[in-house]
Amino acid sequence: QVQLVESGGESVQAGGSLRLSCAASGPFFNLLSMGWFRQAPGKEREFVAAISWNGVYTSYADSVKGRFTISRDNAKKMVDLQMNSLRPEDTAKYYCAADREFYRDTASNDPNQYESWGQGTQVTVSS
């Protein structure tokens, strides 16, 4: 399994920006699609953004389109999530995840298609 470590979460005022990073270790990271999910207290984990193994395809939840951007650097084994125009409803613990299959030519929003998960990083947005 790919081991993942998220970083960059902190408290920020509404309208501000944050950049989350996910550092991966182990072989074959460059063959796997990657995703970001988030979970607020008392709520189900929800999809945020995903990127295909080669970076060709990306997908976003409707709630973050135009505000968040996912990117990856396979040489550095990193996946980032740039978050702009943050809102209080973005408050959650954010998780990085790796696909369970190689070379999937989509950016899936289904958490069941992801096998490896990081420990999460907390983002708090105040109004």
Side-chain angles (χ1 to χ4, degrees), residues 8 21-22 27 37 49 51-52 55 58 66-67 74 77 87-88 95 97 102 107-109 114-115 123:
S21 294
C22 174
F37 295 77
I51 187 167
S52 63
T58 59
R67 300 189 298 121
N74 284 349
K77 295 186 176 182
R87 305 165 180 169
Y95 298 87
F102 294 170
S108 178
N109 63 3
Y114 295 87
E115 186 174 47
V123 172

Side-chain angles (χ1 to χ4, degrees), residues 23-70:
S25 62
F28 310 124
F29 165 80
N30 58 317
L31 308 182
L32 299 169
S33 296
M34 300 292 295
W36 284 96
F37 295 77
R38 66 188 182 187
Q39 187 170 24
K43 299 182 66 177
E44 296 288 322
R45 186 169 298 186
E46 66 174 350
F47 169 76
V48 177
I51 187 167
S52 63
W53 66 276
N54 57 1
V56 171
Y57 304 101
T58 59
S59 63
Y60 297 91
D62 288 341
S63 60
V64 307
K65 286 181 179 177
R67 300 189 298 121
F68 291 10
T69 302
I70 188 171

